Every structure is written in structure tokens, then in C-alpha cells.
Amino acid sequence: MFKFIFKIIKSKGIYFFTSLLLLLVSNISSLLLISMQKVLIDNVFVNFSTALFVKTLIIIILLTLINIFLYSLNPYIMLKHQMMSRISLCSEIINKIYSLPLDVFMRKKTADFTNYILRDAAICTHFVSFILPQFINVVILFIVYTVYLIHIDYKIILFVVIGSIAIIILERKTGGLVRDNRKIIMENENKIMAFFDEALTHTRQVIAFHREKWEAGVFNKIFKNYFDSCLKQIKITSNITLLKEWCKWFPQVIILAIIGYNAIYNEMSVGTMIIAYELS
């Protein structure tokens, strides 16, 4: 698996590392923007330092414009990487199909080859182009935020870790259910593709023997199974999202109480309190 991922990255590595670099630059500008909010609140609004107001406001505007630009540019780079990697991967899949022995090729359905090219290649390239850079970015952000929050108050990171552990446990408990149902959805998609392939091939026979209603009934049954599996997936993900929100908001309420108490008794500035809540 890692060889396969590295192969996709290596083929169009300039786009992958460019998107990763843009993500890091975007996060740095976001962190600077948050720190400027602290300066604006503590020095301008609390201490009434009007001399810093114009400078701070200009820096905030520039950082916001940089974020907007990177927010628009980075998805384009990622999509460019995905499309070029997908073209390369699809060409390789087609070449592999051409090199299959004839008996193996005849045993396979046309819908299987179609799914390899249209669906599986898209999923693989999307993972490498979008999910992997964002995952690396999240890991780096997690380390930076953890160090900063420990510097502010170790109790904040304690409740963040508790909430994160609760979400991880929830993911492990429900991940198998989601994967199994997603597998069922993909199998039902394959059945629909195979049905269309066979229906187009045997159209004359169906019409000749007046089996249109029978064919429609077969399709409705296949599509109903596909629809029910998709509906079940929506219900599962909705319930998981609701539980995740509880795991997320319960620690945040406690963190808000901790930093609010520290701010009231002047153990923490108002700007630091707002930043700590945003990062948590």
C-alpha cells in the first residue's frame, strides 16, 4: 500500500509538495492572524493603545487576504494533482487489463473493469491528493497547538485529550460498521453496473420474449438494495456525528469555564482566553 501511495506521489510530486507547502503557509498565516487578535484585544481594546490600532488592523487585513488567496489556490493545486495522477493511473490500469490472459479477461465482467477505472482510480488519487496532505497538516497543527495550550494552562490540553480519546474510541467502535456498510454500497453499485452491461447486451432477447416487466422488476430490486444501503449509511453517519458533537462540546464547556475563571481573577488576559478557546 505504501509503495502504491509513494508511486502516485512520485509521479507528480511537484503538485503534492506544493499543496502541502501551501497548507503549511496557510496555517502559519492563520496562527499569526490569531496572535494579532490577541494584540488587538489586549493592547487596543483593553489597554486603549490607539497607536497600535492602525498597524494591527493593516496586518490583520493582509493576513486575511493571504488566507483567502491560499484558500482558493490550494484546492486548485490539489485537484490538478488528482486529475493528472488519475490519468496516469487509469492508463496503467488499462495497460494491465490489456495484458491479462484471455481466460482471465473473459471471466471478468465489463462492469468490474469500468469500476476499476471510474471509481477505484478516483478514490485512490483523491486520498493521495486531498486527504494525505491534509492529514500531514493536521498532525503538524496538533503538535503546535498542543505545545501552545500546555504553555497557557495544562488543564486545557488535558480536557482536549479526553475529548479526543472519546472520539477515537467512538471511531474504533463504529468504524467497522461504517466500513461494512460502505462495502455493501460498493457491491450494490457493482450489481447495478453489471445489470446495465447485461441488459444492453440482451436487449433484443428481452424484447423478443416480452420480458420488459421482468427486467424492470429485477432492476427495481437491485436499485432498492442500493438505495436502502445508502440510506442506512446516512443514518449511521448522522448518529456518529451527533455523538462526536457531544464528545466535542462537553470538554469545550469545561475549558471555557477554566479559562473564564482564570480571566476573571486576572491569571489570564482576555486575548489569551479567546485564543485558548479557539485553539481548543
Side-chain angles (χ1 to χ4, degrees):
M1 179 179 177
F2 292 105
K3 282 186 177 181
F4 177 73
I5 293 173
F6 181 73
K7 185 177 180 181
I8 296 177
I9 294 173
K10 188 179 178 180
S11 62
K12 305 294 177 185
I14 184 67
Y15 293 101
F16 176 82
F17 290 108
T18 301
S19 63
L20 183 59
L21 179 63
L22 290 176
L23 277 174
L24 295 176
V25 172
S26 177
N27 288 325
I28 291 171
S29 63
S30 298
L31 289 172
L32 291 174
L33 185 60
I34 292 173
S35 64
M36 294 312 298
Q37 292 176 10
K38 177 182 181 301
V39 173
L40 186 66
I41 293 169
D42 290 341
N43 295 332
V44 178
F45 295 148
V46 177
N47 297 328
F48 301 103
S49 177
T50 55
L52 287 174
F53 177 72
V54 177
K55 294 180 180 179
T56 306
L57 189 61
I58 291 173
I59 295 173
I60 289 175
I61 292 172
L62 290 174
L63 291 172
T64 303
L65 292 175
I66 291 172
N67 277 338
I68 293 172
F69 175 73
L70 293 176
Y71 184 78
S72 304
L73 178 63
N74 202 33
Y76 170 77
I77 301 294
M78 289 179 171
L79 186 61
K80 183 84 171 177
H81 180 227
Q82 183 189 11
M83 290 298 102
M84 296 185 72
S85 300
R86 186 175 176 182
I87 292 170
S88 177
L89 184 59
C90 287
S91 299
E92 187 175 345
I93 291 173
I94 292 172
N95 290 331
K96 292 289 185 182
I97 292 172
Y98 286 160
S99 63
L100 287 174
L102 186 60
D103 58 336
V104 177
F105 181 84
M106 295 302 294
R107 285 200 301 268
K108 285 282 187 178
K109 294 181 179 179
T110 307
D112 294 333
F113 297 128
T114 306
N115 285 327
Y116 294 153
I117 297 171
L118 296 180
R119 185 189 64 195
D120 297 345
I123 292 173
C124 294
T125 52
H126 177 77
F127 173 80
V128 175
S129 302
F130 283 86
I131 298 177
L132 187 59
Q134 291 174 352
F135 174 76
I136 296 172
N137 180 54
V138 167
V139 171
I140 295 172
L141 277 180
F142 176 78
I143 295 171
V144 174
Y145 287 177
T146 301
V147 173
Y148 186 76
L149 290 174
I150 290 175
H151 176 71
I152 294 175
D153 193 337
Y154 72 93
K155 292 189 290 295
I156 297 175
I157 198 63
L158 178 64
F159 286 101
V160 170
V161 169
I162 291 172
S164 301
I165 291 173
I167 292 175
I168 291 171
I169 293 172
L170 179 64
E171 287 283 356
R172 289 184 64 86
K173 293 292 185 182
T174 59
L177 183 62
V178 174
R179 284 192 300 271
D180 292 343
N181 197 70
R182 189 180 292 120
K183 185 178 179 181
I184 293 172
I185 291 174
M186 294 175 69
E187 289 175 353
N188 289 329
E189 284 180 357
N190 290 338
K191 289 179 181 178
I192 290 175
M193 294 293 293
F195 173 84
F196 280 121
D197 180 42
E198 294 172 358
L200 291 172
T201 306
H202 302 98
T203 301
R204 290 183 179 180
Q205 290 88 333
V206 171
I207 295 174
F209 291 98
H210 306 288
R211 300 286 286 173
E212 293 91 341
K213 289 184 178 179
W214 170 82
E215 189 177 46
V218 173
F219 174 75
N220 289 334
K221 183 179 179 181
I222 295 172
F223 185 79
K224 184 178 182 302
N225 292 333
Y226 172 71
F227 180 79
D228 291 342
S229 60
C230 290
L231 191 63
K232 183 179 179 181
Q233 184 78 352
I234 293 171
K235 291 179 179 178
I236 292 171
T237 52
S238 299
N239 292 331
I240 292 173
T241 303
L242 181 63
L243 292 173
K244 280 183 180 178
E245 289 298 316
W246 278 102
C247 295
K248 172 184 169 184
W249 282 105
F250 182 72
Q252 282 190 333
V253 170
I254 298 175
I255 290 170
L256 183 61
I258 293 171
I259 60 180
Y261 176 86
N262 291 336
I264 290 172
Y265 288 94
N266 295 323
E267 296 178 7
M268 180 185 298
S269 66
V270 178
T272 304
M273 181 191 75
I274 293 174
I275 290 178
Y277 183 74
E278 287 182 358
L279 296 182
S280 62

